[in-house]
Amino acid sequence: MDEDAYRQTYHEVNENYCVFEKGILTSQARCSKCQKMLIAEREAANCTDIPAQQICKQYLEVMKEHARFSLKLRDTRQNLGHAKAIKVQIGSLRGLYQALHPEQPVPAPIPEIAGLIEEAVAHYGALENLPFSQIIPAINTYEGRKRRSRKK
């Protein structure tokens, strides 16, 4: 299947995509509101709760805006490459978990994305009030998996 046909099919059958799809499909995070599905022998993630999907979208937009300098972005509306998207998704969740639970080690994988964001909104009052000085360093220091070296 060519990529254009795949993307079209993806958008047709997965209208309520999970915005943390990359993190979920790489087994770095979980969410009870996520349902995995197969499209043309590829895995995708669907959000089963539209209000939760909206708050997750808002959360990632706020994180991209606040991490713009460290991600070297001029425009936060641009699509991020895979590595930067994972860095924002998982790094920000790890930083948020640490800010909410400083006495506990950050679990791997992050156990409940929607629940963590809901907890943060309840604790800080709004996404704009999050402790960015604690979260952004977690984005900066997060490293995804290393590339495998090719055997010669």
Side-chain angles (χ1 to χ4, degrees):
M1 175 178 261
D2 74 31
E3 283 301 309
D4 292 333
Y6 169 75
R7 274 190 227 103
Q8 181 180 351
T9 302
Y10 176 92
H11 292 296
E12 288 172 2
V13 300
N14 194 15
E15 284 182 18
N16 301 323
Y17 67 95
C18 174
V19 296
F20 286 95
E21 182 176 64
K22 291 180 186 317
I24 286 174
L25 295 180
T26 57
S27 301
Q28 297 179 65
R30 295 186 183 126
C31 186
S32 62
K33 301 185 186 313
C34 178
Q35 179 180 10
K36 291 182 181 177
M37 58 194 299
L38 292 175
I39 303 172
E41 298 180 358
R42 295 187 197 178
E43 208 171 16
N46 181 273
C47 186
T48 60
D49 185 334
I50 304 304
Q53 181 198 37
Q54 293 304 314
I55 194 114
C56 286
K57 277 183 185 178
Q58 292 169 3
Y59 173 79
L60 282 179
E61 288 170 11
V62 168
M63 287 300 120
K64 274 176 62 175
E65 182 61 39
H66 283 271
R68 185 175 64 195
F69 179 77
S70 61
L71 293 171
K72 298 175 178 81
L73 297 176
R74 290 185 183 161
D75 183 3
T76 57
R77 295 174 301 205
Q78 74 186 57
N79 287 332
L80 299 177
H82 182 78
K84 283 186 181 181
I86 288 282
K87 199 170 183 73
V88 171
Q89 288 180 17
I90 304 305
S92 71
L93 290 173
R94 292 178 60 81
L96 183 59
Y97 187 93
Q98 191 65 56
L100 288 167
H101 307 283
E103 69 288 348
Q104 298 176 11
V106 178
I110 300 295
E112 178 58 36
I113 297 169
L116 183 63
I117 295 172
E118 289 170 9
E119 180 184 357
V121 170
H123 187 267
Y124 296 106
L127 292 174
E128 293 76 24
N129 299 334
L130 294 177
F132 298 107
S133 62
Q134 291 176 282
I135 298 171
I136 301 305
I139 294 172
N140 293 337
T141 59
Y142 178 77
E143 291 186 25
R145 70 178 186 168
K146 301 287 183 197
R147 286 184 173 213
R148 292 186 219 170
S149 61
R150 292 188 177 190
K151 293 182 181 180
K152 294 180 183 181

